[in-house]
Amino acid sequence: MAAPPPNDGYGQYPPQQYGEQPQYPVDPTQQAYGSPASPPPAAASQHGAEHGKKKKRAYAAQAFEVATGGNAVVGGQSAAAQYGIPQPAAPGFGGYPAQDAQQVAYGAPTTPYGAPQPAVPGVGGYQAPDPYYSQGVPPAAVGPAPGGVAGITAGIQSMGFGGQPQQPQQLPAQTRGHVNQLYPTDLLNQPFNVAELELPPPPIILPPNSSVTPSPDANCAPKYVRSTLNAVPTTHSLLKKSKLPFALVIQPYAALHDLDDPVPVVQDQVISRCRRCRSYINPFVTFLDHGHRWRCNMCNLTNDVPQAFDWDAAAQKSVDRWQRPELNHAVVEFVAPQEYMVRPPQPLVYLFLFDVSYAAVSTGLLATSARTILDSLDRIPNADRRTRLGFIAVDSSLHYFSVPRDTEENGETSMLVVSDLDEPFLPVPGELLVPLTECRQNIESFLNKLPEMFANNQSNGNCMGSALRAGHKLIAPLGGKIVVLSSSLPNMGYGKLEMREDKKLLGTSKESGLLQTANSFYKSFAVECSKNQVSIDMFLFSSQYQDVASLSNLPRYTGGQTWFYPGWNAARAEDAVKFASEFSDYLSSEIGLEAVLRVRATTGLRMSTFYGNFFNRSSDLCAFPAFPRDQCYVVEVAIDENLTKNFVCLQTAVLHTTCNGERRIRVMTLALPTTTNLADVYASADQCAIATYFSHKAVEKALGNSLDAARDLPQQKLTELLQTFRKELGGGSMGGGLQFPSNLRGLPALCLGLTKHVGLRKSALIPSDIRSAALCQLSTLPLPLLMQYIYPRLYSLHDMPDNAGIPDPETSQIVLPPPMNLSSERFVPFGLYLIDDGQTQFLWVGRDAVPQLILDVFGVQERTQVAVGKGTLPELDNDFNERVRNVIAKSRDHKSKDVGSITLPHLYIVREDGEPSLKLWAQTLLVEDRADQGMSFQQWMGMLREKVSN
């Protein structure tokens, strides 16, 4: 039985670790940053609308009484307006006309709990009209329109009656083809809205007839490969002049399972490749000589078309070439023939290393791990019936388990103990890795008994380094995954680590030393594992120092991942459910094995630097003993020679063995137009891809140089971009403010979010384990989740539109409220808000939340009765409770974001007048507020303007 949790009820961070006190502006007369106008609320769906109308009147009236102590409406005005209470800043978008001030007041009679939210056009869809990227759209329509006199002036200017409206940047005649228009915007007067981060990147506008088929899937979708530049400079000098990075963000899989993201598969093993550069045939090749030959779009070599290319061997008939998947789809998978195999495809192998020390047993880790594996045996991929499992327990000795086959008479699992940690040997190597199918019953029996075997273990020893060497020796002939489940510091044998956390170093220049590995064993052993196709995943649970910085090297160089659960205890149901859910999804993922990744490109381009969890085997080959589905990789591209083509291609290929024993090659081809014009380059830059590149660069700096250098990098790069835009593209001649392309308007907020992120921000209160785990996330998360991790989502729930929290009639997907910018100025004291960074969720209850809202959501009469900390919402029999729960569930559902992720975020309930440390932790996610040593967004923008002006 797990011991009760030792601490605070929210159990992830001790309170003092997040005690940074944010400083907020207190001038109530100052207009909230970017408090733009909002459009009329979208038509509410019928479901829940009547209920909403009844509720809104009750909540609004109570809210006004709380705020004013009097009637809800005074003298024809809303109480909020009458008594001068600051208005909530409703996020605007795209220059909608200003709303009446009374309509935006608290509890306005259009929504259940308060202010109406703006509709966001075209978010997340390529079909929607987009004022940034459409051609011929007046730039005055871009960005939120200011209210009041400024709004009227802006409206008149947009019609051409006064002032000098901004014009799209004029393009020289020599620019090839159609291009994205450059719309400069003033970052100070047309501020960014978080909804813009959901927009697709600037479109890739290729010359007509660039692909051999008119397929809409001929170019790679951004969920697989995104370029920081969707128009490529033709010369190295132009790229250098732009100060923009040229890099690819690659995420080969958009889901944990193939069925959730099907990709065309070429089954006939006819794979046509260029003889010189080895690129795969794709939609952008050119056919010559009546279709008998094809010209490579990378190196221009002419190749023969294979004789079987137009023949279906199975049906013994000719086929239409133009229907072949590789000529119609940029992303395809080829079933690989024998020549792509060094050896027969390996089986899927999982070797579990259980920490069975006192810490692991007393917190319930051993019991929860064993139970989750037992419950997930049917989910582990085993279609070819070759999957093998092995188990080793670790304390001050190594405990091997020999599981017999189900057909053997003596079905008891035997335990073999080895105490020699310097040269651990394998007592019966042939019986330690057993087939799941043939030993299923005995494996189940063993997992049921495992917790009992060590229930009274008092040992505090942990020889995990020696266990890893033994595990490597066991599975090296086959390859596979070593899964480490540990809740204490390895303190014996190989890879022994010391307690080196020193609070005096936190927040100083010497803190970076705590982020380096303390024992060279972990890097050298990881490289050795990679050579033998052994990948390592770490699940770490310690409530004490565990040296995540050292242990995370094992996954970093073997294509694995580090999952960190600080303060975890199975006695808290939320902790047990989170780990069990994530671990079960992890075991079910359809990983690739024995994989290599290579990126080829048009002559003149070279892959210069690679970022991510893998081993760089040669200059352009990344090796993955196991290929995960929930990570992304960044590849920096250099321009070595002038580009003469009007578009270039970059092709990513991942050769791997599926977990069902089939050798395959996933090929992703991205075509990008070239340009000689700096304006085109800026107009086609992808702010989210650039922020992802900056994130990986910052992590590299943090691990290789210092935290100060990592923090300075986003600010330095952003300043260079603003200065270059001002100097080269007339940004300084377009009036005051701070000029930048509208498609990059979110980059300053993302850079600020990165510098204030827990992995990088300057603070003497962040333990090195917490920081190291955050750096692991910053360097591996898929782009959509990384953007949310850097700039979390904030939803207002008390006044969400009537259609939010219920299924959309067309898609059946739960509709989320519009996201809001991360500032406390958006909060009202009677509000209910959800803050979600993709890893953790906070449900914020305002100090003046009305009793009816508290009753509807939490089922208690008084706000003080709401339990704070880690928890779940009760299921109550009312519409609003259901809608709030739906929004929370939808926000944490990563499948809808075209990413594979096992993460199930914890929900923390925060009362504004409740636990101070928990409140301050939640406030650290409000990126636009000033907190501790971090500046507010207004200060950040002012600092940037000063640097650019100077």
Side-chain angles (χ1 to χ4, degrees), residues 793-835:
R793 295 295 173 266
L794 168 63
Y795 302 108
S796 179
L797 303 183
H798 63 282
D799 58 354
M800 58 181 163
D802 288 343
N803 67 331
I806 61 176
D808 181 273
E810 295 181 3
T811 64
S812 299
Q813 296 292 315
I814 297 296
V815 177
L816 288 172
M820 306 196 325
N821 282 37
L822 290 166
S823 168
S824 59
E825 293 180 355
R826 305 275 171 165
F827 284 34
V828 294
F830 56 82
L832 182 70
Y833 300 92
L834 179 67
I835 313 171

Side-chain angles (χ1 to χ4, degrees), residues 592-643:
L593 303 167
E594 208 165 352
V596 290
L597 179 149
R598 180 176 263 132
V599 184
R600 299 175 175 87
T602 296
T603 302
L605 299 178
R606 173 176 55 85
M607 306 306 120
S608 61
T609 319
F610 298 81
Y611 302 92
N613 282 8
F614 50 78
F615 180 62
N616 217 167
R617 192 181 292 174
S618 62
S619 61
D620 67 340
L621 190 70
C622 305
F624 301 80
F627 200 96
R629 294 193 167 217
D630 56 356
Q631 297 185 31
C632 86
Y633 311 94
V634 173
V635 181
E636 195 166 1
V637 187
I639 302 176
D640 287 343
E641 304 171 20
N642 291 355
L643 303 174

Side-chain angles (χ1 to χ4, degrees), residues 85-142:
I85 299 171
Q87 301 292 303
F93 186 81
Y96 288 105
Q99 263 188 257
D100 183 79
Q102 294 183 33
Q103 193 178 8
V104 185
Y106 302 157
T110 52
T111 53
Y113 292 90
Q117 302 297 323
V120 183
V123 172
Y126 286 86
Q127 310 307 320
D130 179 3
Y132 300 163
Y133 312 136
S134 302
Q135 304 209 14
V137 177
V142 179

Side-chain angles (χ1 to χ4, degrees), residues 304-326:
D304 292 331
V305 174
Q307 288 185 346
F309 199 68
D310 302 315
W311 180 256
D312 184 341
Q316 288 293 301
K317 65 177 183 180
S318 60
V319 295
D320 182 359
R321 169 183 300 185
W322 307 114
Q323 299 301 314
R324 287 192 67 94
E326 60 266 52

Side-chain angles (χ1 to χ4, degrees), residues 3-7 569 571-572:
N7 53 15
N569 195 297
R572 274 189 299 270

Side-chain angles (χ1 to χ4, degrees), residues 676-852:
T676 58
N677 189 313
L678 190 62
D680 298 350
V681 180
Y682 267 87
S684 300
D686 180 348
Q687 60 188 0
C688 293
I690 292 171
T692 303
Y693 169 79
F694 286 165
S695 175
H696 282 73
K697 289 289 287 184
V699 172
E700 180 188 48
K701 290 273 188 187
L703 298 179
N705 298 75
S706 69
L707 276 171
D708 287 335
R711 276 189 288 269
D712 291 343
L713 183 136
Q715 177 186 318
Q716 173 198 338
K717 297 292 186 185
L718 183 59
T719 303
E720 286 180 355
L721 292 175
L722 289 162
Q723 289 172 336
T724 301
F725 188 79
R726 178 186 177 95
K727 175 185 175 184
E728 302 293 343
L729 295 172
S733 62
M734 300 179 188
L738 194 59
Q739 300 289 325
F740 213 38
S742 56
N743 52 294
L744 296 178
R745 190 161 56 187
L747 195 56
L750 291 172
C751 288
L752 176 62
L754 187 55
T755 60
K756 296 175 76 170
H757 190 270
V758 63
L760 298 178
R761 76 167 168 264
K762 191 172 182 64
S763 171
L765 299 167
I766 302 174
S768 59
D769 275 354
I770 301 288
R771 207 184 274 284
S772 294
L775 293 176
C776 291
Q777 297 278 37
L778 285 175
S779 57
T780 57
L781 279 176
L783 183 145
L785 297 185
L786 180 62
M787 293 304 98
Q788 186 175 350
Y789 196 41
I790 293 172
Y791 193 96
R793 295 295 173 266
L794 168 63
Y795 302 108
S796 179
L797 303 183
H798 63 282
D799 58 354
M800 58 181 163
D802 288 343
N803 67 331
I806 61 176
D808 181 273
E810 295 181 3
T811 64
S812 299
Q813 296 292 315
I814 297 296
V815 177
L816 288 172
M820 306 196 325
N821 282 37
L822 290 166
S823 168
S824 59
E825 293 180 355
R826 305 275 171 165
F827 284 34
V828 294
F830 56 82
L832 182 70
Y833 300 92
L834 179 67
I835 313 171
D836 186 352
D837 73 354
Q839 309 298 309
T840 310
Q841 294 179 316
F842 294 96
L843 187 62
W844 178 282
V845 185
R847 64 177 180 273
D848 294 332
V850 296
Q852 187 63 49

Side-chain angles (χ1 to χ4, degrees), residues 393-427:
V394 185
D395 51 13
S396 56
S397 303
L398 302 181
H399 307 260
Y400 297 93
F401 298 98
S402 177
V403 182
R405 282 170 165 72
D406 293 342
T407 54
E408 295 182 21
E409 291 185 11
N410 180 15
E412 286 297 315
T413 296
S414 54
M415 181 170 71
L416 309 147
V417 182
V418 174
S419 298
D420 183 357
L421 304 183
D422 292 331
E423 290 299 328
F425 65 95
L426 303 179

